[in-house]
Amino acid sequence: MGNYASAKAEIKNYIIARTPLIVIDSSERERAERILREIGAELNIAVGYYTDAKQVCFLNGEGAKDADNDPLGFIAQNFRKHRSSTFAFGDVKRIGEDNAYSREILNILYLAKEQNCTLILITADTVWSRLMQFGMMTALDYPDTEERIAQINDFISRFGGRFSIEWGSDDVRMAATLLRGFSEIQIENILSAELVSKGRLSREHIYGLTAQKSRLYSSVSSIQEVQVDRELKVSGLETLKSWLAEKKKIFFASDEALKERDLTAPKGILLAGVPGCGKSLSAKMAAKEWKLPLFRFDIGTVYDKWVGESEKKMKEALRFIDNVSPCVVWVDEIEKALSVSDSGNDTGKRVLGQFLFWLQESTSRVFLVATANDISALPFELFRKGRFSEIFFIDLPDEEERKDVISQYAGRSLLMELSEEETGELVAISEGFSYSDIEYAVKDIAQVALTEGQQAITFENIVKKFKEVVPISKNNPDMVEKIRKWGMERAAAASGAPKGGR
């Protein structure tokens, strides 16, 4: 990995050492030009430069010359006439293999070695191995955190007088984190698009940057962006909430701070538990708390009947996720998508292998929230340490959690505030209810109020509806007991100790 400063230092040393060939591995030609211009000024040397658009010029500001679209002939002539000269070739192509073009460059490198000259190639393509024998390669990566912060501050200084930009230093750092993995030009385009569309930049607009980011990439059918209510309130799950608050600091730490302690950003969590108890809602909660976009990844849709297509679709999906990071990715009921790998299906095993490798090795800031109802259907490879940061078990809500969610739903859907005594009665009736069971009971009453008026809501009707509900714990007790037993033994409790203890 090479940021601007380290790449510049390497290139400068190679020029001083008169290395015949320097390859700058970068798709950002303008940044490479800036480095060479600065080095030319610092060393007081003329750096010749060729691009198809500008032809030949000198990066210290001298006039342009026409090379008659034959830059290699011009460079060779320049090296013959001017010993110890430096010449750069921007966006050079067709040098990845043995061909007439790369062999002509090879001849120039022999001349450069004899004349103590240096040829600099700026390219994002591979370079023929015989060419690389003459020199060194320097990687110029996309701007790092500090460079992105500097670019955003420069953007604010240029447009802050014409537009209202209300970003403080913490906001700028958050924006820089969200814009990780983009070139200077892309960052400028994203900031400009957001400023023009909103007419200003306030704190809440920071999180719109990722929406602008996703437009830079072609959509993938297996991934959909999920809108997150920034006012979302989730009852219970206090242990999970505390864990997310703690890991947020690590997730947004700089690459340098993590590298110093040999750490990586949190990979994600696997949520197992009773259906209807908040597993899927937890993905939205994570995105809301971390102020990140949420994408739902439907792994099942990558499978295709044609040979090789499933692997191709998985690769495209993972590339899209890496591109739009940092983000939260939600995989719902992951066991249904990945259990196919245990059925003797070679395609399923290859797709699982791709997913597991990405989960283990990806350096993108992607936080995966995977949910599972039938944890026993998951391949054992998924539980290897390092693939998930933690595995949480979400149980049926306890008394305090039921009290909280009943009060929330009563206020939101019934537009009423229950007394302590009324709430306590409903809490007692709802023993064994999931969050979904409680939501169903309350919203069924709310539907009656919508058609018949608020007077249709009485506490007696609410009690009657609660008593009519057959909760999941009674509807499928064997399944619930199996899930709870697994959670008590093998996962961390999302809210206090799992029922029955460990």
Side-chain angles (χ1 to χ4, degrees), residues 415-427:
L415 307 181
M416 62 184 294
E417 185 175 341
L418 298 172
S419 67
E420 283 287 330
E421 184 180 347
E422 291 171 333
T423 305
E425 185 174 344
L426 294 177
V427 167

Side-chain angles (χ1 to χ4, degrees), residues 11-18 22 39 43 45 86 118 120:
I11 294 166
K12 186 175 181 179
N13 288 336
Y14 295 152
I15 291 176
I16 293 173
R18 279 299 155 199
I22 302 172
I39 291 174
L43 298 180
I45 61 173
T86 304
T118 297
I120 302 171

Side-chain angles (χ1 to χ4, degrees), residues 483-495:
I483 292 172
R484 297 179 79 185
K485 184 176 186 298
W486 187 95
M488 293 174 189
E489 296 173 351
R490 305 184 188 181
S495 53

Side-chain angles (χ1 to χ4, degrees), residues 50-183:
Y50 174 86
T51 61
D52 290 335
K54 296 179 180 178
Q55 293 290 292
V56 173
C57 66
F58 288 88
L59 293 175
N60 58 5
E62 293 183 17
K65 297 180 180 179
D66 193 341
D68 296 324
N69 292 316
D70 182 19
L72 299 186
F74 185 93
I75 294 170
Q77 185 180 19
N78 181 74
F79 282 177
R80 291 190 190 97
K81 289 182 177 180
H82 304 285
R83 186 175 175 82
S84 300
S85 61
T86 304
F87 203 98
F89 193 165
D91 281 347
V92 62
K93 297 178 175 64
R94 296 180 291 158
I95 58 171
E97 58 187 20
D98 184 356
N99 54 48
Y101 191 73
S102 58
R103 282 189 171 273
E104 191 172 351
I105 293 178
L106 183 65
N107 290 331
I108 291 174
L109 291 175
Y110 278 109
L111 179 61
K113 184 173 177 57
E114 293 173 6
Q115 294 290 96
N116 204 33
C117 296
T118 297
L119 176 64
I120 302 171
L121 304 180
I122 302 171
T123 182
D125 298 337
T126 56
V127 180
W128 184 31
S129 59
R130 284 198 64 187
L131 296 181
M132 284 309 305
Q133 292 175 2
F134 278 84
M136 307 294 288
M137 177 176 287
T138 296
L140 176 58
D141 295 322
Y142 287 143
D144 62 17
T145 302
E146 296 307 316
E147 291 176 73
R148 295 194 300 274
I149 288 174
Q151 184 178 355
I152 294 170
N153 282 328
D154 177 68
F155 181 88
I156 292 172
S157 67
R158 284 187 285 120
F159 295 101
R162 295 165 49 195
F163 296 89
S164 174
I165 302 179
E166 304 160 11
W167 290 359
S169 58
D170 290 343
D171 303 318
V172 169
R173 181 166 286 276
M174 175 61 78
T177 301
L178 292 174
L179 293 171
R180 181 177 184 266
F182 283 88
S183 68

Side-chain angles (χ1 to χ4, degrees), residues 30 44 56 135 153 165 247 268 293 304 344 350 460:
E30 288 188 359
N44 195 27
V56 173
N153 282 328
I165 302 179
K247 298 301 180 183
D304 195 287
R350 288 194 295 271
E460 290 73 20

Side-chain angles (χ1 to χ4, degrees), residues 41 74 139 174 196 231 290 343 358 395 427 451 475:
F74 185 93
M174 175 61 78
V196 170
E231 303 300 321
W290 288 15
S343 64
W358 172 81
D395 202 353
V427 167
T451 57
N475 209 7

Side-chain angles (χ1 to χ4, degrees), residues 13 69 101 222 234 252 298 319 333-334 361 379 402 411 434 473 477:
N13 288 336
N69 292 316
Y101 191 73
S222 58
V234 178
F252 287 104
D298 186 357
R319 185 188 301 119
E333 298 187 18
I334 191 173
E361 301 298 332
R402 295 200 305 278
S434 68
S473 59

Side-chain angles (χ1 to χ4, degrees), residues 274 473 476-488:
V274 181
S473 59
N476 201 334
D478 293 340
M479 178 199 71
V480 172
E481 185 58 32
K482 179 183 176 183
I483 292 172
R484 297 179 79 185
K485 184 176 186 298
W486 187 95
M488 293 174 189

